Amino acid sequence: MDQDRIKWVIQNCRLLAEIGEHFERTQPFRGLTIGTGIHLEPKTVALLLTLRRGGAEVVATGNLNTTQQSAIDYLSAHRVRVIGGPTSDPAEHDAYLWELVRLGPQLLLDNGGDLFVRYLEEPYDGLLGGTEETTSGRMRLEPLRDRINLPLLVINDSPIKQFAENRHAVGQSVLESFIRITNKSTNGKRVTVFGYGACGKGVAANFRNAYSVVSVVDSNPILRLEAMLDGFLVPDRDEALRTADVVITVTGAEGVVTAHDVPLLKDGAILANAGHFPREIDAAGITAAAGGRVTVLTDGHMVNLAGPRPLGNSIESMDLGFALQARCLEAVALGTVGPEACVVPVPRVIDESVAAAFVAL
Ligand SMILES: NC(=O)c1ccc[n+]([C@@H]2O[C@H](COP(=O)([O-])OP(=O)(O)OC[C@H]3O[C@@H](n4cnc5c(N)ncnc54)[C@H](O)[C@@H]3O)[C@@H](O)[C@H]2O)c1
């Protein structure tokens, strides 16, 4: 069943299939090892196998609490080396990341800055550069730009990723996950969304489309105005918590909702985090302080990747994002971007070629 799902995903990653065919001919990664620290689930399997088709040795480890054993099994059967297994123990995860970095891959595909930060702690010869998938990773790596001094392209900053994945797909999959995990309706529920960036916009829109009454809280007054003009309620933070049946954080920030907020929350309130790090919601503190009055889904880990039977974002959105990944790693491997491109967005020429290829599918 799980293996069938992986095959379904690979079949439907049509852009990656095209790129894979191209890579088979051009072998951009011949002789290179690519180390990846990205969620191990069916769509990343499609990406990693595409990189292999380009001649790379691929060494992969997952992220905290999102690794799927079936993805590991599939990758291992297709000559991708996987370090470690599913874990929610930060110390164990840390050890896996170190094991990967100490192999000295020439290219790093990072997710949250974990690999490049460790590389700087123990630099090695031969690293050509790589990619970073997320906003959280960009925020962590930006101040380290001078020390990294290698091409490092941030996928999240591509406009394609912003609208195709963050806005449309994260919104859909957070809604799908809420319904799947809770088996509750969304109709007439008061939903408060923290964060009105690309992801928050999609989450807010999808819950509104599912007949919820949505409030938005964003610390940026300009985005608060935008949310208001988009037709959302924009109460102050306390009011937004007091009235909420459902609270969703998607900010990238730390301690957005904590145990201090518990007295504000309604009995039966449901909290979920869709931001990269579980620390957006202090799940342990809230659960202890609430004494069973409120529920934090998936212990505050990303609700659309960490819950039971997680599907993550739609195949099409990930196909687009991973096509950007594959093309950016190709550019770093071939030296068409240099160290001046350190922690910068995807080059426009790559965005345009990926967009055109998707439209032409
Ligand atoms: N779940 C997923 O599948 C998935 C996919 C992509 C990105 N992400 C993660 O989602 C998070 C948000 O991503 P994004 O691209 O929307 O980022 P973004 O920077 O565009 O938006 C974040 C917004 O949160 C606001 N914010 C920050 N702290 C706040 C606080 N304490 N209270 C209220 N608002 C606050 C900021 O002003 C900003 O507008 C990141 O952690 C990112 O890594 C998750």
Side-chain angles (χ1 to χ4, degrees):
M1 170 63 189
D2 282 347
Q3 303 293 310
D4 287 349
R5 199 179 142 227
I6 294 174
K7 284 183 193 144
W8 167 258
V9 168
I10 292 173
Q11 234 174 47
N12 282 281
C13 281
R14 294 170 57 206
L15 266 184
L16 281 179
E18 264 187 20
I19 293 172
E21 276 169 33
H22 172 75
F23 280 179
E24 261 174 24
R25 289 193 303 275
T26 58
Q27 295 290 292
F29 307 121
R30 186 196 296 275
L32 301 177
T33 298
I34 304 179
T36 75
I38 198 162
H39 308 292
L40 291 179
E41 47 92 42
K43 291 144 202 156
T44 47
V45 170
L47 170 63
L48 301 189
L49 297 183
T50 305
L51 301 177
R52 270 206 59 72
R53 288 176 79 180
E57 290 297 322
V58 179
V59 187
T61 194
N63 280 188
L64 259 190
N65 215 24
T66 58
T67 298
Q68 296 178 20
Q69 186 59 46
S70 52
I72 296 184
D73 296 343
Y74 199 95
L75 286 168
S76 305
H78 291 81
R79 293 184 300 132
V80 171
R81 176 168 168 195
V82 180
I83 294 176
T87 180
S88 49
D89 174 359
E92 207 175 340
H93 178 53
D94 179 62
Y96 298 155
L97 292 166
W98 273 116
E99 192 178 334
L100 186 138
V101 171
R102 285 179 180 143
L103 291 172
Q106 286 85 18
L107 292 163
L108 293 175
L109 189 170
D110 211 348
N111 190 36
D114 288 336
L115 299 177
F116 277 97
V117 163
R118 282 168 182 74
Y119 161 77
L120 285 181
E121 280 182 47
E122 283 186 20
Y124 55 83
D125 289 339
L127 181 64
L128 299 173
T131 54
E132 162 56 45
E133 176 78 7
T134 67
T135 314
S136 307
R138 191 237 302 133
M139 284 164 18
R140 196 171 172 199
L141 296 174
E142 241 162 14
L144 306 172
R145 198 178 260 146
D146 288 349
R147 291 175 57 206
I148 297 172
N149 196 29
L150 291 167
L152 204 182
L153 304 173
V154 182
I155 307 301
N156 191 72
D157 293 340
S158 158
I160 296 177
K161 170 105 176 173
Q162 290 289 326
F163 61 74
E165 185 183 333
N166 294 7
R167 177 144 58 89
H168 289 292
V170 173
Q172 277 180 353
S173 87
V174 169
L175 174 67
E176 182 275 329
S177 301
F178 173 83
I179 294 171
R180 169 170 38 82
I181 294 169
T182 64
N183 196 203
K184 285 169 79 78
S185 82
T186 51
N187 302 64
K189 294 275 189 317
R190 297 290 303 255
V191 176
T192 291
V193 178
F194 278 81
Y196 202 62
C199 295
K201 285 187 173 76
V203 171
N206 274 274
F207 275 85
R208 175 165 65 188
N209 291 345
Y211 302 98
S212 298
V213 180
V214 179
S215 298
V216 169
V217 180
D218 197 298
S219 38
N220 178 342
I222 299 170
L223 292 175
R224 188 162 181 244
L225 169 66
E226 188 178 0
M228 189 182 102
L229 298 189
D230 288 344
F232 295 105
L233 300 171
V234 288
D236 65 35
R237 183 183 180 283
D238 284 6
E239 178 66 8
L241 284 171
R242 209 176 283 120
T243 51
D245 300 304
V246 179
V247 176
I248 299 170
T249 56
V250 60
T251 66
E254 199 168 331
V256 177
V257 185
T258 69
H260 292 297
D261 297 312
V262 166
L264 293 173
L265 294 171
K266 276 188 192 174
D267 283 357
I270 297 172
L271 281 67
N273 170 45
H276 186 74
F277 292 110
R279 59 187 184 223
E280 289 203 23
I281 293 182
D282 174 12
I286 290 172
T287 305
R293 268 198 329 109
V294 307
T295 303
V296 182
L297 301 182
T298 62
D299 291 328
H301 289 274
M302 271 191 286
V303 70
N304 58 336
L305 284 169
R309 292 174 286 111
L311 294 173
N313 298 327
S314 65
I315 297 174
E316 291 86 343
S317 70
M318 299 305 288
D319 190 26
L320 274 163
F322 286 164
L324 295 172
Q325 276 283 6
R327 289 299 191 192
C328 284
L329 286 166
E330 178 190 34
V332 176
L334 298 179
T336 53
V337 284
E340 71 291 346
C342 185
V343 195
V344 301
V346 173
R348 193 176 168 87
V349 59
I350 294 182
D351 276 331
E352 288 180 351
S353 74
V354 166
F358 192 86
V359 171
L361 279 176

